[in-house]
Amino acid sequence: MTTASLDFSALPEAELTDDSGRRLKARLCVTADIAHTIAEAVRQNWAVMPTGGLTSAIGSYEYPAASVDDFAGVVAIRPRAAAMPDIVAPDTPLERLASHQIAIDKESGLISAGAGLTFAQVNAALAEIGPNLRVLIDLTSVASAFVGGVIATGGMGPMRLLPSRIVDAVALADGSDTPRLIEGDDLDLVEGMQGWTGMVTAVRLRFFEVPSSEFGLVLPVQGSDTDTMAGLLVYLRRWTQIALPAPGGRIAGEADETVLNGIELVSRDSLSAFIAHSEEPARSKAEGLLQSCDYAGADMLACLTGWSEQSIDDVLMSLLDPETETIGGVMIDFGVGFSSGAEMETFRAIREGAPDLARTRARVARPGKIKPWSSSTDVNIAFPADSSAAAAILESYADYRSAIRALSRELDGAVEVELSAYGHLSPVGIDPHHRVTLVAPEGAQAALAAARLAVAANKRTLIHDLLFAAQRHGATITGGEKGVPSLVEIARAAGGEGRLPNDLKARLERARQAVMAAPVQFSFRAPAELRAEPA
């Protein structure tokens, strides 16, 4: 590993913005030896900003300017990536793995990956030893998000599996020359902590075998018909329950060889916007799905994805209720199926294109307009096999959509209000993201500020409603996709940590103790609630 001293002040300025468009004022250092670089930064009293792939979570670059006054400056440290990972010996210690290296222990069902690789690269390496082997990280950004960044943000995909469910160990650099090995219950000192306690250098993960074929099934649904949507989710529950086998083992659902690894929501509005900006063949397929919405009189699509050894037609028959000839009460007349290969690639382009477009529109300034302001919901809830629980959660989101649409009518001509709904409907964790983007003409800062306050108030009401629905119906709020920042936002909306369920209070307190014990070079970015004991 490198031993030379580093001159951080000579590094170039970082050309980085987070998902809200906030620019990072820092020097940028790209390195394969993260531990040495961080040790040098801490020794020279530089504040450290761990930096991942192409994007960063909203708010990740926000911190009071005065919080860096006592440092030499801020250095953004990015793991060095590689077009082709370097495969090294299976027994290479995790702490010694460089950012671009992979080590596979096939016999133990474990793969170790440096922080600068993507999960697409990890799965490609696994494919060399078995065609259906993979790690169960299912983010839409598997081809761009860095391994280290995914662990730091605690990002989940359609399966609603936290990375820690398949992580065996994490190597964390926090200023010493050798990274610390984090395992077991201590993984939550890293996962979802946004790099406030140190920077991930490498991760050891469990991998599994999945059924050979992928499939997709799209069903038009009416978002305001919460009882029918709730019935669909409860009906599909048994196909979404996955018990993880031993590392290297085969994934199977509780129902049969068909496993649903995601139930995703895409609103008609999101689909229409995607069509306007997409290319073939995704555009034609998306237009067909939009037509299905029109025929069914629906405003949303429920997108089911999974693995099976069966054909898509046989999968459909296995999901069908023979008594009603529906899937959980939802007619299949206008449903559309997708099977492995190019069809699934097109399907993923549509399913992932809608949120990607919404995020892009939320951070790109338009001619004659102020830079957009955007806010997205992020509350993950696991609910019991009870349709009333699912209906109560979905009704809260329906009320939020109604409130935002009413605000849009009220602000007509002054501020544009865009609402996109997309995201997760799995019973393992229902989290249908609703993104609101406000666009105002130049000079209308006051109108934009008032609209922001109105959206924020409606979002607080939504979180209140979700907390009440969870408490009343035996559901569990588990956090959100932004890790600990999601917990902080939920606590603020609830009126303080004291009003949270006990498990969330305990998690925030554990995060607080970890942040307070971390080097200040990392913890300076953490929310104020986590940098001091509560009053």
Side-chain angles (χ1 to χ4, degrees), residues 312-400:
I312 182 63
D313 291 336
D314 289 337
V315 167
L316 178 60
M317 293 307 297
S318 71
L319 296 178
L320 203 65
D321 183 342
E323 293 185 5
T324 64
E325 295 188 346
T326 66
I327 296 180
V330 175
M331 303 293 292
I332 64 169
D333 303 58
F334 305 111
V336 179
F338 297 82
S339 56
S340 289
E343 281 195 2
M344 282 304 296
E345 290 302 316
T346 300
F347 172 76
R348 277 190 286 268
I350 296 170
R351 188 192 68 183
E352 299 163 15
D356 282 347
L357 178 62
R359 286 190 289 264
T360 299
R361 289 178 63 81
R363 63 175 179 252
V364 176
R366 306 167 199 181
K369 307 289 186 180
I370 305 171
K371 182 184 173 300
W373 177 86
S374 185
S375 179
S376 181
T377 65
D378 182 32
V379 184
N380 194 68
I381 307 176
F383 59 90
D386 177 0
S387 60
S388 65
I393 295 166
L394 292 169
E395 283 168 7
S396 298
Y397 283 102
D399 290 344
Y400 181 67

Side-chain angles (χ1 to χ4, degrees), residues 199-472:
M199 184 169 178
V200 175
T201 68
V203 182
R204 186 163 61 234
L205 307 121
R206 307 175 189 99
F207 64 80
F208 307 94
E209 181 185 358
V210 301
S212 60
S213 298
E214 284 188 286
F215 68 86
L217 180 61
V218 181
L219 300 173
V221 293
Q222 183 62 40
S224 59
D225 188 357
T226 54
D227 287 337
T228 296
M229 288 187 68
L232 171 68
L233 301 186
V234 172
Y235 176 81
L236 293 174
R237 183 182 184 86
R238 68 191 185 104
W239 284 279
T240 64
Q241 305 304 299
I242 300 173
L244 294 181
R250 181 178 172 82
I251 293 292
E254 292 184 0
D256 50 35
E257 281 295 294
T258 295
V259 176
L260 288 181
N261 56 31
I263 307 173
E264 297 290 285
L265 178 72
V266 176
S267 68
R268 190 186 192 284
D269 292 342
S270 298
L271 188 61
S272 297
F274 172 78
I275 290 170
H277 295 83
S278 61
E279 299 179 354
E280 298 296 347
R283 178 188 296 154
S284 294
K285 283 289 188 180
E287 287 173 341
L289 295 177
L290 188 63
Q291 195 170 54
S292 295
C293 280
D294 292 338
Y295 289 155
D299 62 352
M300 293 186 177
L301 297 170
C303 302
L304 283 57
T305 58
W307 298 301
S308 183
E309 298 295 347
Q310 302 177 355
S311 69
I312 182 63
D313 291 336
D314 289 337
V315 167
L316 178 60
M317 293 307 297
S318 71
L319 296 178
L320 203 65
D321 183 342
E323 293 185 5
T324 64
E325 295 188 346
T326 66
I327 296 180
V330 175
M331 303 293 292
I332 64 169
D333 303 58
F334 305 111
V336 179
F338 297 82
S339 56
S340 289
E343 281 195 2
M344 282 304 296
E345 290 302 316
T346 300
F347 172 76
R348 277 190 286 268
I350 296 170
R351 188 192 68 183
E352 299 163 15
D356 282 347
L357 178 62
R359 286 190 289 264
T360 299
R361 289 178 63 81
R363 63 175 179 252
V364 176
R366 306 167 199 181
K369 307 289 186 180
I370 305 171
K371 182 184 173 300
W373 177 86
S374 185
S375 179
S376 181
T377 65
D378 182 32
V379 184
N380 194 68
I381 307 176
F383 59 90
D386 177 0
S387 60
S388 65
I393 295 166
L394 292 169
E395 283 168 7
S396 298
Y397 283 102
D399 290 344
Y400 181 67
R401 291 195 297 273
S402 296
I404 296 301
R405 286 167 182 151
L407 178 65
S408 178
R409 292 191 295 271
E410 179 185 334
L411 296 175
D412 185 34
V415 177
E416 299 172 37
V417 181
E418 298 177 359
L419 173 62
S420 297
Y422 51 84
H424 315 292
L425 295 178
S426 172
V428 179
I430 185 169
D431 186 8
H433 306 307
H434 285 54
R435 180 178 288 275
V436 178
T437 301
L438 302 177
V439 182
E442 292 178 352
Q445 281 84 355
L448 180 62
R452 288 177 57 175
L453 291 175
V455 172
N458 282 311
K459 188 175 177 182
R460 285 195 299 272
T461 298
L462 169 65
I463 294 175
H464 272 284
D465 290 346
L466 292 174
L467 285 164
F468 178 75
Q471 181 181 29
R472 183 178 179 186

Side-chain angles (χ1 to χ4, degrees), residues 45 47 63-74 524:
N45 195 34
Y63 54 85
S67 67
V68 297
D69 285 350
D70 294 333
F71 298 116
V74 180
F524 73 97

Side-chain angles (χ1 to χ4, degrees), residues 83 85 102 111 117-127 133-135 137 139-147 150:
I102 282 179
I111 182 169
L117 299 174
T118 68
F119 281 99
Q121 291 176 308
V122 172
N123 283 326
L126 286 174
L133 298 178
R134 67 183 64 192
V135 293
I137 299 289
L139 300 171
T140 57
S141 54
V142 289
S144 59
F146 285 177
V147 166
V150 171

